[in-house]
Amino acid sequence: MNFYDYAPESRFLLGTAGYPSPEILGQAIEASGTEIITVSLRREGGAGGAFRDLLTRLNKRVLPNTAGCHTVKEAVTTAHMARELFNTRWIKLEVIGHADTLQPDPFGLVEAARILCEEGFQVFPYTTEDLVLGEKLLEAGCQVLMPWGAPIGSGQGLRNIEGLRTMRAWFKDVPLVVDAGIGTPSQAALAMEMGFDAILLNTAVAKAQDPVRMASAFRDAIHAGQQALLAGPMERRDMAAASTPVFGLAEFN
C-alpha cells in the first residue's frame, strides 16, 4: 500500500482533535502505532506553539485536513495555508455539503481536488462510496480515495456494507481508506477483512473513557483484520457443514 510517495507499515491513521489533554493525545498516538496523524489547520492554530511542539516530539507524518470547509474557495485556501505551515504536499480534502450529516459535496469536492492536484498537492479526498464520484476524483488526479463508513463522529460503523464492497471490488488497484463513522474496533476489523487498505478515525478514540487503551484496541483490531484477509477467510455457506466427518465415527448398536 502506497500513499503517493510513502508506504506506511501501520494501517491506522489517527486524528488529533477533541482529546482530554495534550498528554493523553500524545499517549494515544504512541499506543496506536500510527505513522500518520491528521491535523486540522484551525485546531493547530487554536493550540498554538504547544501543539506544534507536541507534533515535533511525536515525529509522525502529518496529514493536514480542510475540516469545516463548505466551499471550494475555502478548502483550496485552507490547503495552501496548511502546505506552508506543515511543509507538506499532502492534504486531506473535505468539502462539506450537508450540515447535519457532514456528507461531502460531490461537485465541490471534485472541483477542489482538480485545482489542488494541478497545483502539485497530493490529495486524500473524503468521499462517499459512490463509484461515479470516485472515478471523477481519480480523473482529477487523486491517487487515494477515502470513503466514509458513516457520518463523521457518529460511531455507526459501516452503514452501507454492500456499497463499500462494490467500491473495493471496482477500485481494486486504488488505496482505499475508510474514513469517518467507525466507532468500535470490531467495525474497523470488518473493514479490513473486506479488503480496505487502512482506517482513519478520531472521535472513537478521543471520546473513549480511556483513549489510550482504545487506541491500542484499534491498533490490534486493524492488524487482526488485515491478517484475516491475508489468511483467506472461509466462504460463507447457506447451510451447515459438519466440521467432523461422519467416516470413522464409533457405531453404537
Side-chain angles (χ1 to χ4, degrees), residues 11-163:
R11 304 282 178 143
F12 188 6
L13 289 68
L14 186 61
T16 56
Y19 287 79
S21 70
E23 292 75 19
I24 292 178
L25 167 60
Q27 293 171 23
I29 290 173
E30 293 295 357
S32 73
T34 186
E35 300 167 47
I36 302 170
I37 56 176
T38 65
V39 178
S40 168
L41 186 66
R42 296 173 183 178
R43 167 69 177 85
E44 195 285 333
F51 189 66
R52 290 293 303 274
D53 291 343
L54 175 62
L55 296 182
T56 301
R57 187 169 70 252
L58 292 170
N59 194 31
K60 304 294 182 181
R61 185 143 185 171
V62 173
L63 173 59
N65 66 43
T66 62
C69 293
H70 291 258
T71 67
V72 172
K73 182 178 181 180
E74 188 179 13
V76 170
T77 300
T78 301
H80 288 163
M81 295 171 63
R83 181 169 59 181
E84 294 300 318
L85 183 61
F86 296 107
N87 190 31
T88 179
R89 292 194 294 157
W90 279 16
I91 191 71
K92 180 192 169 190
L93 179 61
E94 297 183 25
V95 182
I96 301 302
H98 193 274
D100 291 334
T101 64
L102 300 182
Q103 179 175 329
D105 171 2
F107 308 103
L109 182 63
V110 172
E111 182 180 351
R114 181 173 290 110
I115 292 170
L116 292 174
C117 287
E118 290 176 352
E119 294 180 347
F121 283 88
Q122 294 176 329
V123 179
F124 295 67
Y126 163 61
T127 181
T128 67
E129 66 276 19
D130 186 278
L131 300 184
V132 177
L133 177 53
E135 291 281 11
K136 296 296 183 182
L137 289 168
L138 295 177
E139 291 172 4
C142 300
Q143 296 179 24
V144 178
L145 297 176
M146 306 183 76
W148 66 348
I152 294 172
S154 69
Q156 296 178 20
L158 308 180
R159 290 207 309 183
N160 185 2
I161 289 179
E162 291 308 313

